[in-house]
Amino acid sequence: MNKFSLAILLIVFVSSIGFSQPAATPWLTESQRAHFETLRIAGSEALFNLDYETARKNFKEMADAFPSYPAGPQFLADTLWTETLYQTRRLQSSLYDSDDTFYSTSDDKADPKLVDQFRSLTRQARLLTEARLKQNPHDPEAMYFMGAIQGLKASFEEAVERRHFAALKDGSDAVDRHRDLLKLDPSYRDAELTIGLYDYTVGSLSLPLKIMAGVAGFHGSKKRGLATLERVAKEGRWVHDESKTLLIVLYTREKRFAEAAALARELGAKYPRNYLYGLEAADALVSQAALERGSNPAGPTTAAENEAFATFETMLHDKALRDTTAHALDLIHFKYGEALLTARQYDRAAKEFMASAGAPGAWAGLATMAHLYAAHSLDLAGKRNDALTEYRTVLARPNVYDAHDQAQAGLKEAFKKKLS
């Protein structure tokens, strides 16, 4: 499976936070349901706003209050894997979708303790759901949970453990569960999120992998998948924002940058503490400007680029946002550098990459890549000696992905930007 998989799966089963429509014989009483909803909404909003501690607190209280209900352990597992992606900077999708670099090897092994904790939580949720299904094999709520649990496992296997075909298998199982649910209740729109994403994922495979997947019984369609996710975004009861988040990633991949930026702006306004939506919007705007510039790459800065640059400046310098962005300055400077690099403002790009590497608490892997991208920018700016210094800095640091290989190549020959 190629690099697209991470970009697609990285946020997907936050959809497991979506609430299942209750069955004829309710799993929870009416009063229990009201308490559950209070915790679900608080936890979900915290998760969207990157407040993992608050999310975990609400979902732990949920698990304690409703020990026979799978939502608590499932949501705790979802919080665990989402926070893991965030801590390793994989939750900002375009960072990985634009280049093979960040997904070229499997040097960064998953923490065994984290894997064990995740599996324990999903196992607990699965056992509770299976107990419900033994009582009623056609319980819609239990069917929804079982599909969501399988999908959550698929996301973790792909994005954290890098077990690609295990992820494909569990993703297929999740789709089967939710297709069965839709046969019972065609109006259960939220269940279509899993199906739409899976359709797009398999439909996006390279031809050799698509053939292999087809032989194994996995089939999909990008067009159908996008249409399904768009329908969930408009008509979903609980997971419309999750579907919109996925569509930002997929629209960017499909070069529908204006639509991606519009959704990112919308969700950024709804979840103001989640600066990642601002990064996605800025990334889409710069890409849209590059597309529009076409054959005139040296043209003046466009309105879209100016909006993107203003977004970065706000995240870096607005005092009102400082509490939410202070711990992520490395990522923000890095993305700003990428935007400037795309806009061919190489000197400014190099400065932002070096600011990323030197940011307080910078993630070591991102800092290494920032030095590498600074070297590329300096080469493109015609500052070969400064670029050589940065390449040597990369080689003096622990290797991450293929950074050392790229730095060795940069020492031998100046980097040249590929024509888009």
mmCIF file of all heavy atoms in Angstrom, residues 295-337:
data_model
loop_
_atom_site.group_PDB
_atom_site.id
_atom_site.type_symbol
_atom_site.label_atom_id
_atom_site.label_comp_id
_atom_site.label_asym_id
_atom_site.label_seq_id
_atom_site.Cartn_x
_atom_site.Cartn_y
_atom_site.Cartn_z
ATOM 1 N N SER A 295 1.406 28.169 -16.039
ATOM 2 C CA SER A 295 2.602 28.394 -16.859
ATOM 3 C C SER A 295 3.353 29.667 -16.478
ATOM 4 O O SER A 295 4.347 30.007 -17.107
ATOM 5 C CB SER A 295 2.217 28.464 -18.342
ATOM 6 O OG SER A 295 1.292 29.516 -18.562
ATOM 7 N N ASN A 296 2.879 30.390 -15.464
ATOM 8 C CA ASN A 296 3.548 31.618 -15.042
ATOM 9 C C ASN A 296 3.979 31.488 -13.579
ATOM 10 O O ASN A 296 3.494 32.222 -12.709
ATOM 11 C CB ASN A 296 2.618 32.824 -15.227
ATOM 12 C CG ASN A 296 3.320 34.140 -14.913
ATOM 13 O OD1 ASN A 296 4.548 34.234 -15.008
ATOM 14 N ND2 ASN A 296 2.546 35.152 -14.535
ATOM 15 N N PRO A 297 4.893 30.540 -13.294
ATOM 16 C CA PRO A 297 5.265 30.284 -11.898
ATOM 17 C C PRO A 297 5.939 31.455 -11.214
ATOM 18 O O PRO A 297 5.946 31.537 -9.990
ATOM 19 C CB PRO A 297 6.215 29.088 -12.014
ATOM 20 C CG PRO A 297 6.761 29.159 -13.402
ATOM 21 C CD PRO A 297 5.649 29.700 -14.239
ATOM 22 N N ALA A 298 6.508 32.361 -11.981
ATOM 23 C CA ALA A 298 7.209 33.495 -11.386
ATOM 24 C C ALA A 298 6.312 34.714 -11.228
ATOM 25 O O ALA A 298 6.777 35.807 -10.930
ATOM 26 C CB ALA A 298 8.419 33.862 -12.248
ATOM 27 N N GLY A 299 5.016 34.519 -11.411
ATOM 28 C CA GLY A 299 4.079 35.626 -11.317
ATOM 29 C C GLY A 299 3.970 36.172 -9.910
ATOM 30 O O GLY A 299 4.523 35.623 -8.957
ATOM 31 N N PRO A 300 3.226 37.254 -9.727
ATOM 32 C CA PRO A 300 3.094 37.885 -8.414
ATOM 33 C C PRO A 300 2.334 36.993 -7.438
ATOM 34 O O PRO A 300 1.596 36.083 -7.826
ATOM 35 C CB PRO A 300 2.319 39.173 -8.715
ATOM 36 C CG PRO A 300 1.560 38.859 -9.977
ATOM 37 C CD PRO A 300 2.446 37.958 -10.765
ATOM 38 N N THR A 301 2.507 37.280 -6.166
ATOM 39 C CA THR A 301 1.800 36.542 -5.130
ATOM 40 C C THR A 301 0.302 36.719 -5.305
ATOM 41 O O THR A 301 -0.195 37.826 -5.529
ATOM 42 C CB THR A 301 2.218 37.055 -3.739
ATOM 43 O OG1 THR A 301 3.626 36.926 -3.597
ATOM 44 C CG2 THR A 301 1.529 36.249 -2.638
ATOM 45 N N THR A 302 -0.432 35.620 -5.223
ATOM 46 C CA THR A 302 -1.871 35.659 -5.450
ATOM 47 C C THR A 302 -2.628 35.943 -4.156
ATOM 48 O O THR A 302 -2.081 35.863 -3.058
ATOM 49 C CB THR A 302 -2.362 34.320 -6.019
ATOM 50 O OG1 THR A 302 -2.219 33.319 -5.005
ATOM 51 C CG2 THR A 302 -1.554 33.917 -7.242
ATOM 52 N N ALA A 303 -3.921 36.238 -4.303
ATOM 53 C CA ALA A 303 -4.766 36.494 -3.137
ATOM 54 C C ALA A 303 -4.851 35.256 -2.251
ATOM 55 O O ALA A 303 -4.863 35.362 -1.016
ATOM 56 C CB ALA A 303 -6.158 36.924 -3.594
ATOM 57 N N ALA A 304 -4.922 34.079 -2.880
ATOM 58 C CA ALA A 304 -5.002 32.838 -2.106
ATOM 59 C C ALA A 304 -3.732 32.636 -1.278
ATOM 60 O O ALA A 304 -3.790 32.239 -0.112
ATOM 61 C CB ALA A 304 -5.220 31.651 -3.044
ATOM 62 N N GLU A 305 -2.582 32.919 -1.878
ATOM 63 C CA GLU A 305 -1.325 32.782 -1.134
ATOM 64 C C GLU A 305 -1.254 33.784 0.004
ATOM 65 O O GLU A 305 -0.824 33.441 1.114
ATOM 66 C CB GLU A 305 -0.139 32.969 -2.084
ATOM 67 C CG GLU A 305 0.095 31.761 -2.984
ATOM 68 C CD GLU A 305 1.122 32.046 -4.065
ATOM 69 O OE1 GLU A 305 1.244 33.222 -4.474
ATOM 70 O OE2 GLU A 305 1.782 31.094 -4.497
ATOM 71 N N ASN A 306 -1.679 35.004 -0.255
ATOM 72 C CA ASN A 306 -1.665 36.010 0.806
ATOM 73 C C ASN A 306 -2.566 35.607 1.967
ATOM 74 O O ASN A 306 -2.220 35.820 3.139
ATOM 75 C CB ASN A 306 -2.101 37.376 0.250
ATOM 76 C CG ASN A 306 -0.998 38.037 -0.563
ATOM 77 O OD1 ASN A 306 0.185 37.830 -0.300
ATOM 78 N ND2 ASN A 306 -1.379 38.840 -1.550
ATOM 79 N N GLU A 307 -3.720 35.008 1.647
ATOM 80 C CA GLU A 307 -4.601 34.523 2.714
ATOM 81 C C GLU A 307 -3.930 33.402 3.500
ATOM 82 O O GLU A 307 -4.018 33.350 4.729
ATOM 83 C CB GLU A 307 -5.926 34.022 2.130
ATOM 84 C CG GLU A 307 -6.892 33.538 3.199
ATOM 85 C CD GLU A 307 -8.191 32.984 2.639
ATOM 86 O OE1 GLU A 307 -8.469 33.196 1.438
ATOM 87 O OE2 GLU A 307 -8.924 32.330 3.399
ATOM 88 N N ALA A 308 -3.238 32.514 2.770
ATOM 89 C CA ALA A 308 -2.539 31.412 3.439
ATOM 90 C C ALA A 308 -1.434 31.944 4.346
ATOM 91 O O ALA A 308 -1.305 31.526 5.507
ATOM 92 C CB ALA A 308 -1.955 30.463 2.401
ATOM 93 N N PHE A 309 -0.637 32.863 3.833
ATOM 94 C CA PHE A 309 0.460 33.414 4.639
ATOM 95 C C PHE A 309 -0.084 34.145 5.865
ATOM 96 O O PHE A 309 0.489 34.065 6.965
ATOM 97 C CB PHE A 309 1.310 34.366 3.798
ATOM 98 C CG PHE A 309 1.957 33.711 2.606
ATOM 99 C CD1 PHE A 309 2.361 34.467 1.509
ATOM 100 C CD2 PHE A 309 2.169 32.342 2.564
ATOM 101 C CE1 PHE A 309 2.963 33.876 0.407
ATOM 102 C CE2 PHE A 309 2.762 31.736 1.463
ATOM 103 C CZ PHE A 309 3.158 32.501 0.392
ATOM 104 N N ALA A 310 -1.210 34.850 5.691
ATOM 105 C CA ALA A 310 -1.826 35.550 6.819
ATOM 106 C C ALA A 310 -2.300 34.553 7.880
ATOM 107 O O ALA A 310 -2.228 34.827 9.089
ATOM 108 C CB ALA A 310 -2.996 36.405 6.340
ATOM 109 N N THR A 311 -2.773 33.386 7.426
ATOM 110 C CA THR A 311 -3.212 32.350 8.362
ATOM 111 C C THR A 311 -2.045 31.883 9.224
ATOM 112 O O THR A 311 -2.161 31.742 10.453
ATOM 113 C CB THR A 311 -3.808 31.162 7.596
ATOM 114 O OG1 THR A 311 -4.951 31.601 6.859
ATOM 115 C CG2 THR A 311 -4.227 30.050 8.554
ATOM 116 N N PHE A 312 -0.901 31.655 8.589
ATOM 117 C CA PHE A 312 0.286 31.236 9.342
ATOM 118 C C PHE A 312 0.737 32.322 10.315
ATOM 119 O O PHE A 312 1.078 32.040 11.473
ATOM 120 C CB PHE A 312 1.430 30.896 8.394
ATOM 121 C CG PHE A 312 1.251 29.601 7.666
ATOM 122 C CD1 PHE A 312 1.098 29.572 6.288
ATOM 123 C CD2 PHE A 312 1.238 28.392 8.351
ATOM 124 C CE1 PHE A 312 0.935 28.379 5.618
ATOM 125 C CE2 PHE A 312 1.082 27.196 7.685
ATOM 126 C CZ PHE A 312 0.930 27.185 6.312
ATOM 127 N N GLU A 313 0.749 33.559 9.851
ATOM 128 C CA GLU A 313 1.188 34.652 10.715
ATOM 129 C C GLU A 313 0.276 34.777 11.938
ATOM 130 O O GLU A 313 0.747 35.030 13.060
ATOM 131 C CB GLU A 313 1.200 35.967 9.932
ATOM 132 C CG GLU A 313 2.296 36.048 8.860
ATOM 133 C CD GLU A 313 3.695 36.096 9.465
ATOM 134 O OE1 GLU A 313 3.840 36.510 10.634
ATOM 135 O OE2 GLU A 313 4.645 35.705 8.760
ATOM 136 N N THR A 314 -1.022 34.585 11.722
ATOM 137 C CA THR A 314 -1.961 34.647 12.839
ATOM 138 C C THR A 314 -1.674 33.539 13.843
ATOM 139 O O THR A 314 -1.642 33.777 15.063
ATOM 140 C CB THR A 314 -3.408 34.520 12.328
ATOM 141 O OG1 THR A 314 -3.704 35.629 11.475
ATOM 142 C CG2 THR A 314 -4.399 34.504 13.485
ATOM 143 N N MET A 315 -1.455 32.322 13.354
ATOM 144 C CA MET A 315 -1.189 31.208 14.259
ATOM 145 C C MET A 315 0.108 31.405 15.036
ATOM 146 O O MET A 315 0.240 30.964 16.174
ATOM 147 C CB MET A 315 -1.144 29.891 13.470
ATOM 148 C CG MET A 315 -2.524 29.395 13.060
ATOM 149 S SD MET A 315 -2.494 27.721 12.374
ATOM 150 C CE MET A 315 -1.847 28.065 10.744
ATOM 151 N N LEU A 316 1.056 32.074 14.431
ATOM 152 C CA LEU A 316 2.347 32.260 15.082
ATOM 153 C C LEU A 316 2.372 33.444 16.044
ATOM 154 O O LEU A 316 3.120 33.432 17.029
ATOM 155 C CB LEU A 316 3.435 32.454 14.024
ATOM 156 C CG LEU A 316 3.804 31.215 13.212
ATOM 157 C CD1 LEU A 316 4.718 31.594 12.056
ATOM 158 C CD2 LEU A 316 4.468 30.169 14.095
ATOM 159 N N HIS A 317 1.546 34.460 15.791
ATOM 160 C CA HIS A 317 1.714 35.702 16.536
ATOM 161 C C HIS A 317 0.467 36.201 17.260
ATOM 162 O O HIS A 317 0.579 37.122 18.075
ATOM 163 C CB HIS A 317 2.203 36.797 15.589
ATOM 164 C CG HIS A 317 3.477 36.450 14.876
ATOM 165 N ND1 HIS A 317 4.657 36.230 15.549
ATOM 166 C CD2 HIS A 317 3.746 36.268 13.553
ATOM 167 C CE1 HIS A 317 5.609 35.933 14.672
ATOM 168 N NE2 HIS A 317 5.085 35.946 13.463
ATOM 169 N N ASP A 318 -0.704 35.629 17.001
ATOM 170 C CA ASP A 318 -1.925 36.086 17.662
ATOM 171 C C ASP A 318 -1.917 35.613 19.118
ATOM 172 O O ASP A 318 -1.898 34.419 19.403
ATOM 173 C CB ASP A 318 -3.154 35.535 16.932
ATOM 174 C CG ASP A 318 -4.452 36.180 17.419
ATOM 175 O OD1 ASP A 318 -4.524 36.545 18.603
ATOM 176 O OD2 ASP A 318 -5.376 36.310 16.607
ATOM 177 N N LYS A 319 -1.960 36.545 20.055
ATOM 178 C CA LYS A 319 -1.899 36.206 21.476
ATOM 179 C C LYS A 319 -3.074 35.338 21.902
ATOM 180 O O LYS A 319 -2.951 34.489 22.790
ATOM 181 C CB LYS A 319 -1.856 37.482 22.310
ATOM 182 C CG LYS A 319 -0.579 38.293 22.143
ATOM 183 C CD LYS A 319 -0.598 39.533 23.026
ATOM 184 C CE LYS A 319 0.692 40.336 22.851
ATOM 185 N NZ LYS A 319 0.682 41.560 23.704
ATOM 186 N N ALA A 320 -4.234 35.535 21.262
ATOM 187 C CA ALA A 320 -5.422 34.770 21.635
ATOM 188 C C ALA A 320 -5.265 33.290 21.311
ATOM 189 O O ALA A 320 -5.924 32.445 21.923
ATOM 190 C CB ALA A 320 -6.649 35.330 20.909
ATOM 191 N N LEU A 321 -4.397 32.959 20.357
ATOM 192 C CA LEU A 321 -4.202 31.573 19.959
ATOM 193 C C LEU A 321 -2.962 30.951 20.592
ATOM 194 O O LEU A 321 -2.713 29.764 20.397
ATOM 195 C CB LEU A 321 -4.066 31.488 18.432
ATOM 196 C CG LEU A 321 -5.293 31.862 17.602
ATOM 197 C CD1 LEU A 321 -4.956 31.806 16.128
ATOM 198 C CD2 LEU A 321 -6.465 30.944 17.912
ATOM 199 N N ARG A 322 -2.214 31.732 21.330
ATOM 200 C CA ARG A 322 -0.907 31.273 21.802
ATOM 201 C C ARG A 322 -1.003 30.009 22.646
ATOM 202 O O ARG A 322 -0.174 29.111 22.553
ATOM 203 C CB ARG A 322 -0.220 32.395 22.577
ATOM 204 C CG ARG A 322 1.222 32.105 22.909
ATOM 205 C CD ARG A 322 1.947 33.379 23.290
ATOM 206 N NE ARG A 322 2.022 34.298 22.165
ATOM 207 C CZ ARG A 322 2.435 35.564 22.271
ATOM 208 N NH1 ARG A 322 2.786 36.046 23.455
ATOM 209 N NH2 ARG A 322 2.496 36.339 21.214
ATOM 210 N N ASP A 323 -2.060 29.908 23.472
ATOM 211 C CA ASP A 323 -2.197 28.735 24.337
ATOM 212 C C ASP A 323 -2.396 27.461 23.538
ATOM 213 O O ASP A 323 -2.000 26.374 23.975
ATOM 214 C CB ASP A 323 -3.370 28.921 25.306
ATOM 215 C CG ASP A 323 -3.069 29.943 26.394
ATOM 216 O OD1 ASP A 323 -1.881 30.258 26.581
ATOM 217 O OD2 ASP A 323 -4.022 30.421 27.033
ATOM 218 N N THR A 324 -3.022 27.564 22.372
ATOM 219 C CA THR A 324 -3.311 26.370 21.574
ATOM 220 C C THR A 324 -2.225 26.051 20.562
ATOM 221 O O THR A 324 -2.184 24.949 20.037
ATOM 222 C CB THR A 324 -4.652 26.528 20.832
ATOM 223 O OG1 THR A 324 -4.568 27.642 19.938
ATOM 224 C CG2 THR A 324 -5.788 26.740 21.798
ATOM 225 N N THR A 325 -1.355 27.003 20.279
ATOM 226 C CA THR A 325 -0.336 26.765 19.251
ATOM 227 C C THR A 325 1.088 26.737 19.796
ATOM 228 O O THR A 325 2.008 26.331 19.073
ATOM 229 C CB THR A 325 -0.408 27.849 18.155
ATOM 230 O OG1 THR A 325 -0.193 29.141 18.746
ATOM 231 C CG2 THR A 325 -1.759 27.836 17.464
ATOM 232 N N ALA A 326 1.286 27.121 21.049
ATOM 233 C CA ALA A 326 2.642 27.245 21.586
ATOM 234 C C ALA A 326 3.404 25.925 21.521
ATOM 235 O O ALA A 326 4.617 25.909 21.311
ATOM 236 C CB ALA A 326 2.598 27.760 23.021
ATOM 237 N N HIS A 327 2.682 24.820 21.715
ATOM 238 C CA HIS A 327 3.334 23.512 21.723
ATOM 239 C C HIS A 327 3.497 22.938 20.327
ATOM 240 O O HIS A 327 3.990 21.819 20.174
ATOM 241 C CB HIS A 327 2.510 22.533 22.570
ATOM 242 C CG HIS A 327 1.125 22.314 22.043
ATOM 243 N ND1 HIS A 327 0.175 23.309 22.067
ATOM 244 C CD2 HIS A 327 0.552 21.248 21.458
ATOM 245 C CE1 HIS A 327 -0.935 22.849 21.532
ATOM 246 N NE2 HIS A 327 -0.740 21.603 21.154
ATOM 247 N N ALA A 328 3.073 23.674 19.301
ATOM 248 C CA ALA A 328 3.120 23.151 17.937
ATOM 249 C C ALA A 328 3.828 24.104 16.983
ATOM 250 O O ALA A 328 3.611 24.055 15.774
ATOM 251 C CB ALA A 328 1.700 22.884 17.439
ATOM 252 N N LEU A 329 4.686 24.955 17.520
ATOM 253 C CA LEU A 329 5.363 25.920 16.664
ATOM 254 C C LEU A 329 6.250 25.233 15.631
ATOM 255 O O LEU A 329 6.425 25.750 14.520
ATOM 256 C CB LEU A 329 6.207 26.874 17.523
ATOM 257 C CG LEU A 329 5.419 27.818 18.432
ATOM 258 C CD1 LEU A 329 6.368 28.647 19.284
ATOM 259 C CD2 LEU A 329 4.496 28.709 17.616
ATOM 260 N N ASP A 330 6.802 24.077 15.975
ATOM 261 C CA ASP A 330 7.630 23.365 15.000
ATOM 262 C C ASP A 330 6.822 22.993 13.772
ATOM 263 O O ASP A 330 7.259 23.180 12.629
ATOM 264 C CB ASP A 330 8.274 22.129 15.631
ATOM 265 C CG ASP A 330 7.292 21.163 16.245
ATOM 266 O OD1 ASP A 330 6.137 21.553 16.512
ATOM 267 O OD2 ASP A 330 7.680 19.994 16.487
ATOM 268 N N LEU A 331 5.612 22.475 13.982
ATOM 269 C CA LEU A 331 4.770 22.078 12.861
ATOM 270 C C LEU A 331 4.282 23.282 12.064
ATOM 271 O O LEU A 331 4.270 23.272 10.827
ATOM 272 C CB LEU A 331 3.582 21.270 13.376
ATOM 273 C CG LEU A 331 2.575 20.808 12.317
ATOM 274 C CD1 LEU A 331 3.242 19.919 11.278
ATOM 275 C CD2 LEU A 331 1.414 20.070 12.969
ATOM 276 N N ILE A 332 3.886 24.356 12.762
ATOM 277 C CA ILE A 332 3.370 25.535 12.068
ATOM 278 C C ILE A 332 4.460 26.183 11.216
ATOM 279 O O ILE A 332 4.240 26.529 10.048
ATOM 280 C CB ILE A 332 2.787 26.537 13.080
ATOM 281 C CG1 ILE A 332 1.597 25.902 13.804
ATOM 282 C CG2 ILE A 332 2.363 27.828 12.383
ATOM 283 C CD1 ILE A 332 1.091 26.713 14.987
ATOM 284 N N HIS A 333 5.655 26.340 11.790
ATOM 285 C CA HIS A 333 6.753 26.898 10.993
ATOM 286 C C HIS A 333 7.086 25.984 9.801
ATOM 287 O O HIS A 333 7.380 26.469 8.706
ATOM 288 C CB HIS A 333 7.998 27.063 11.866
ATOM 289 C CG HIS A 333 7.997 28.283 12.727
ATOM 290 N ND1 HIS A 333 8.022 29.564 12.220
ATOM 291 C CD2 HIS A 333 7.993 28.418 14.084
ATOM 292 C CE1 HIS A 333 8.022 30.436 13.211
ATOM 293 N NE2 HIS A 333 8.007 29.771 14.348
ATOM 294 N N PHE A 334 7.042 24.681 10.030
ATOM 295 C CA PHE A 334 7.348 23.748 8.942
ATOM 296 C C PHE A 334 6.345 23.902 7.807
ATOM 297 O O PHE A 334 6.723 23.984 6.630
ATOM 298 C CB PHE A 334 7.333 22.310 9.467
ATOM 299 C CG PHE A 334 7.837 21.295 8.480
ATOM 300 C CD1 PHE A 334 9.162 20.874 8.513
ATOM 301 C CD2 PHE A 334 7.004 20.768 7.517
ATOM 302 C CE1 PHE A 334 9.638 19.954 7.598
ATOM 303 C CE2 PHE A 334 7.465 19.843 6.593
ATOM 304 C CZ PHE A 334 8.796 19.425 6.635
ATOM 305 N N LYS A 335 5.049 23.939 8.151
ATOM 306 C CA LYS A 335 4.032 24.078 7.117
ATOM 307 C C LYS A 335 4.115 25.433 6.421
ATOM 308 O O LYS A 335 3.867 25.541 5.222
ATOM 309 C CB LYS A 335 2.649 23.872 7.729
ATOM 310 C CG LYS A 335 2.381 22.451 8.214
ATOM 311 C CD LYS A 335 2.587 21.413 7.120
ATOM 312 C CE LYS A 335 1.738 21.647 5.911
ATOM 313 N NZ LYS A 335 2.047 20.676 4.835
ATOM 314 N N TYR A 336 4.469 26.465 7.168
ATOM 315 C CA TYR A 336 4.662 27.783 6.564
ATOM 316 C C TYR A 336 5.813 27.711 5.565
ATOM 317 O O TYR A 336 5.725 28.235 4.440
ATOM 318 C CB TYR A 336 4.963 28.791 7.674
ATOM 319 C CG TYR A 336 4.791 30.255 7.298
ATOM 320 C CD1 TYR A 336 4.396 30.656 6.027
ATOM 321 C CD2 TYR A 336 5.024 31.246 8.250
ATOM 322 C CE1 TYR A 336 4.237 31.990 5.717
ATOM 323 C CE2 TYR A 336 4.868 32.593 7.950
ATOM 324 C CZ TYR A 336 4.480 32.960 6.677
ATOM 325 O OH TYR A 336 4.314 34.292 6.365
ATOM 326 N N GLY A 337 6.877 27.027 5.948
ATOM 327 C CA GLY A 337 7.993 26.850 5.021
ATOM 328 C C GLY A 337 7.578 26.115 3.765
ATOM 329 O O GLY A 337 7.966 26.485 2.651
#
